[in-house]
Amino acid sequence: MTSRATSRSALGRGRSTARDPRPAYECDACGYQPPKWVGRCPECGEWGSVVESTLTGPTVSGRVVSSRVPAEPARPIATISAAPARARPTGVPELDRVLGGGLVPGAVVLLAGEPGVGKSTLLLDVAQQWAANAGSPSLVVSGEESVSQVRLRAERMGTLHERLYLAAENDLGAVLGHLDAVRPGLLVLDSVQTVSIAGAEGVPGGVTQVRAVTAALVSVAKERGIATVLVGHVTKDGQVAGPRVLEHLVDVVLHFEGDRHSSLRMIRGVKNRFGTADEVGCFEMHEGGITSLADPSGLFLTRSADPVPGTCVTVAMEGRRALVTEVQALIGATVAGSPRRTVSGLDSARLAMVLAVLQRRTERLTLHDREVFAATVGGIRVVEPAADLAMALAVASGGLNLAIAPDLVAIGEVGLTGEVRRVSAVPRRLAEAARLGFRYALVPAGCGPEASGVTPENMRVMEVTDVRSALQCVARVSAEQP
């Protein structure tokens, strides 16, 4: 009798334990869930970011879900109107280019970028353009600045409008209250990491808070048809800060890039449910604000009266946009030991490979003991293999003191045996170079006008098989120059 009672008591304790809350742990920086508490997150390496949360019990799988009457019945696709999902232009052409025509009512856009790159400046211009042209108010909610600070920036940019509303809030409930009062067509929240929601665990900016705030805003935007732009922070690696689910919740993810020492800014599409995700928008930052650049190729060229050794022009592809870019190289003095290899705007690994190919596959060019500096013009970053040939010709030009014709472009990938390989979008690259007045082009074999069927006007296209033949073509073109 005692044994059976003890067994029932133990069984009862087991059932009670199964229903009791069990401790769980989650990193407040990256969302990783370790099996036990640790001082440092094993996933992201942050100290003191693992916090304890409470789960009410194990998730029950296999439970039968009963059906219910849907809020709206399914309809044939031909009877559904696409008008509510049409994009509305923002008034900023380069942003519309990346978005696929403009902002869709009810869409949620995440714009991420480094501090000081110009996110708030750009979105203030977008909000003013929307208030002036869209027929509905726009609301800018700042969690990092006061309304007076935003007003000063608006005065400097000339973006004041009577239907542009400003608010400074850090609580999501207050933000929703502003939405009820203003009823805007566009909401700009700067930034999502500074807003918290009551009832959610964690500190503002943590994984739990950011996830809850974003999910609530997505729900409100879809329900009321409000185009919403969320500003997001980035990590030291350039990735969107917060949980990875944040990028899955929103409709569009954009990265705002730029160097503080350069006026060039770029918006790069990473995800877009309403258009292509490989578009790039170019902007110029100045004292009066930010301006769209419909034709930015002139920023990446140095026009000089006389040809200068050590320079070569290529055509880089940023998304589907062709940008004519100048590559410069300087060959320094002979250094004992390990000479420096310094790059700016280029891939250092590809430069090292190109130097090794030139050292082995060309004559009269010694580079193993000389310093080499390579850079692009205008602050643009070119890392695609199509710039290899221009990089090789710029280095060879500087090493041999041979000036390349200023109206020549070089396009192609260089292999380890010195061959020039094919690259994509050659006709589009040649068309852009011809539009800017370039008369000569070096392309890989099989990428000329005969293969593509497109002959750029007033341009002589020469196919090259390797780096040595490319140098010979450069010498012939230079000899033809007056």
Side-chain angles (χ1 to χ4, degrees), residues 277-311:
D278 58 350
E279 280 288 0
V280 173
C282 297
F283 301 84
E284 183 178 11
M285 199 78 174
H286 48 80
E287 293 182 358
I290 191 168
T291 307
S292 297
L293 289 177
D295 188 10
S297 293
L299 294 177
F300 315 130
L301 296 174
T302 300
R303 298 294 188 182
S304 57
D306 300 322
V308 179
T311 63

Side-chain angles (χ1 to χ4, degrees), residues 143-427:
E144 301 176 345
E145 298 177 291
S146 66
V147 291
S148 299
Q149 291 174 317
V150 179
R151 165 63 191 257
L152 288 176
R153 183 187 298 115
E155 287 182 354
R156 187 181 72 251
M157 297 173 54
T159 55
L160 299 178
H161 196 276
E162 59 182 5
R163 288 192 297 182
L164 172 58
Y165 291 81
L166 302 178
E169 298 291 349
N170 295 106
D171 180 71
L172 182 61
V175 174
L176 299 181
H178 287 297
L179 292 179
D180 295 335
V182 178
R183 298 187 179 274
L186 170 66
L187 169 65
V188 175
L189 183 61
D190 186 9
S191 64
V192 68
Q193 275 87 2
T194 61
V195 178
S196 61
I197 182 173
E201 298 180 353
V203 298
V207 173
T208 306
Q209 285 284 346
V210 171
R211 184 191 299 123
V213 169
T214 304
L217 289 174
V218 169
S219 177
V220 172
K222 303 295 183 186
E223 179 184 352
R224 305 186 185 184
I226 303 174
T228 304
V229 182
L230 308 178
V231 176
H233 297 165
V234 296
T235 63
K236 60 182 179 180
D237 298 327
Q239 302 297 322
V240 180
R244 196 67 180 178
V245 71
L246 183 64
E247 300 183 33
H248 297 285
L249 288 174
V250 300
D251 301 301
V252 182
V253 179
L254 306 178
H255 280 197
F256 201 20
E257 305 171 357
D259 186 357
R260 293 187 179 184
H261 305 289
S262 172
S263 61
L264 177 66
R265 300 290 187 270
M266 286 188 177
I267 288 187
R268 200 178 302 272
V270 178
K271 169 188 175 182
N272 192 352
R273 290 176 178 167
F274 311 108
T276 60
D278 58 350
E279 280 288 0
V280 173
C282 297
F283 301 84
E284 183 178 11
M285 199 78 174
H286 48 80
E287 293 182 358
I290 191 168
T291 307
S292 297
L293 289 177
D295 188 10
S297 293
L299 294 177
F300 315 130
L301 296 174
T302 300
R303 298 294 188 182
S304 57
D306 300 322
V308 179
T311 63
C312 187
V313 179
T314 187
V315 185
M317 294 299 298
E318 289 289 348
R320 296 192 297 176
R321 167 176 280 181
L323 299 177
V324 179
T325 307
E326 181 177 331
V327 179
Q328 297 182 344
L330 175 64
I331 310 302
T334 302
V335 177
S338 300
R340 284 186 295 177
R341 305 286 193 254
T342 305
V343 298
S344 175
L346 296 168
D347 188 357
S348 58
R350 301 207 69 85
L351 175 64
M353 184 200 70
V354 167
L355 294 179
V357 171
L358 290 174
Q359 175 73 34
R360 186 66 182 268
R361 307 298 176 184
T362 59
E363 302 174 354
R364 299 184 299 109
L365 194 60
T366 303
L367 299 171
H368 68 278
D369 57 349
R370 303 186 67 179
E371 295 181 334
V372 178
F373 306 88
T376 57
V377 174
I380 187 173
R381 179 166 176 79
V382 180
V383 295
E384 64 168 336
D388 288 351
L389 183 57
M391 193 188 313
L393 293 179
V395 172
S397 171
L400 300 174
N401 199 27
L402 172 65
I404 298 177
D407 52 357
L408 179 144
V409 296
I411 304 168
E413 178 184 358
V414 176
L416 292 179
T417 60
E419 81 279 9
V420 180
R421 300 174 181 172
R422 297 185 182 183
V423 294
S424 61
V426 172

